[in-house]
Amino acid sequence: MNYKELQIIDDKIRSYFKTTCEPFDYLEWDGQVLQVWLNNEIIETYFREDLGLH
């Protein structure tokens, strides 16, 4: 996967999470695992497959 593809996916993820009601401080995405952070703790973890990205 190239940088451009990762950036498109990252933009979609951030756009989705901005519309949710659940609070979070930041998102950490490495192309395979998405971690949702709140108060310096990981509160949710999603794998690429969980997000429907194959």
Side-chain angles (χ1 to χ4, degrees), residues 12-25:
K12 288 179 181 180
I13 289 169
R14 291 180 190 286
S15 176
Y16 170 77
F17 273 90
K18 286 180 182 178
T19 65
T20 65
C21 297
E22 297 297 321
F24 68 94
D25 292 326

Side-chain angles (χ1 to χ4, degrees), residues 4-18:
K4 186 176 180 178
E5 290 172 312
L6 283 175
Q7 187 62 52
I8 290 169
I9 293 169
D10 185 73
D11 291 345
K12 288 179 181 180
I13 289 169
R14 291 180 190 286
S15 176
Y16 170 77
F17 273 90
K18 286 180 182 178

